Amino acid sequence: LKLQTEWTIRVTEKIKMKLRFSERIRSWGHPVRTDLRTDIFYSRDKFIMIMRLNALKCEAVGCLGYFEGGYKSSDFSFYGRLGAFIVDDWDDRIYVYETDAPCSFKVPAYYGRGVWAAISASWRFSAWGKIYFRASIIDYPFMKQKKPGKAELKLQSVFDF
C-alpha cells in the first residue's frame, strides 16, 4: 500500500515550491518507508534553477540534496547538477531522475556518503540532426570504508530522415 500526496505552492510568478510526502506500507521486510521531499523551482524565460532536499526513513534516515541550473532554447539546452547524499543503509537509498539523451534514462539509487556532479547538453545543428552530450562523476569521500567513485561520458547523435 502506498499513500502519496503533493502540494504545489506558487510563491511568485517565477518561483514555486513543491512538497511531496509518501508512505509505503507492506507486510514483509521493512514494513514502513516514509519519504519527504521538497523542490524549489525558479524559472525566468529560458533559464531554470531547482533545489531539492529529500529525507527518507526506512531502516535509518537517508538525506539527499542537489542544486540544478539549466538553459533551454529551440536549438540548444544545457543543464548542470551538483548534489550530496548521506544514506547509510541500502534500504534507505534515494532514487533521483537525471536528464539524459532520448530513448535513454538514468535513475540512479544513491547510497553511501558522497557527492556527484553531472552536465548534459543538446544542440540541434541542422533541421535533420541533433547531438546530445552527458558527463557525470560520483565520489564517496565521506565513507567510513573506502568506496571507488565512477565517471560516465556519453555522446549521442540523432538524425531525422
Side-chain angles (χ1 to χ4, degrees), residues 90-104:
W90 174 250
D91 291 324
D92 299 319
R93 65 195 177 274
I94 298 175
Y95 294 93
V96 178
Y97 174 82
E98 295 193 357
T99 305
D100 208 337
C103 302
S104 172

Side-chain angles (χ1 to χ4, degrees), residues 44-92:
R44 182 173 182 196
D45 301 324
K46 298 177 182 181
F47 296 96
I48 64 152
M49 286 189 285
I50 303 168
M51 184 179 75
R52 173 175 290 176
L53 299 172
N54 199 161
L56 188 136
K57 170 78 171 99
C58 185
E59 176 66 20
V61 175
C63 296
L64 177 140
Y66 70 75
F67 179 78
E68 179 175 25
Y71 171 85
K72 185 174 183 177
S73 70
S74 58
D75 292 332
F76 178 75
S77 70
F78 176 84
Y79 296 93
R81 183 181 285 183
L82 182 61
F85 54 94
I86 298 174
V87 182
D88 290 328
D89 194 279
W90 174 250
D91 291 324
D92 299 319

Side-chain angles (χ1 to χ4, degrees), residues 112-132:
R113 293 176 175 227
V115 293
W116 87 96
I119 58 170
S120 61
S122 68
W123 173 49
R124 177 165 292 285
F125 58 88
S126 72
W128 50 268
K130 196 168 188 176
I131 293 176
Y132 296 90

Side-chain angles (χ1 to χ4, degrees), residues 2-7 20-24 35 37:
K2 184 173 182 179
L3 167 71
Q4 181 170 307
T5 185
E6 291 185 6
W7 299 278
R20 186 178 90 172
F21 172 79
S22 66
E23 185 77 34
R24 182 197 69 194
D35 189 7
R37 181 170 94 188

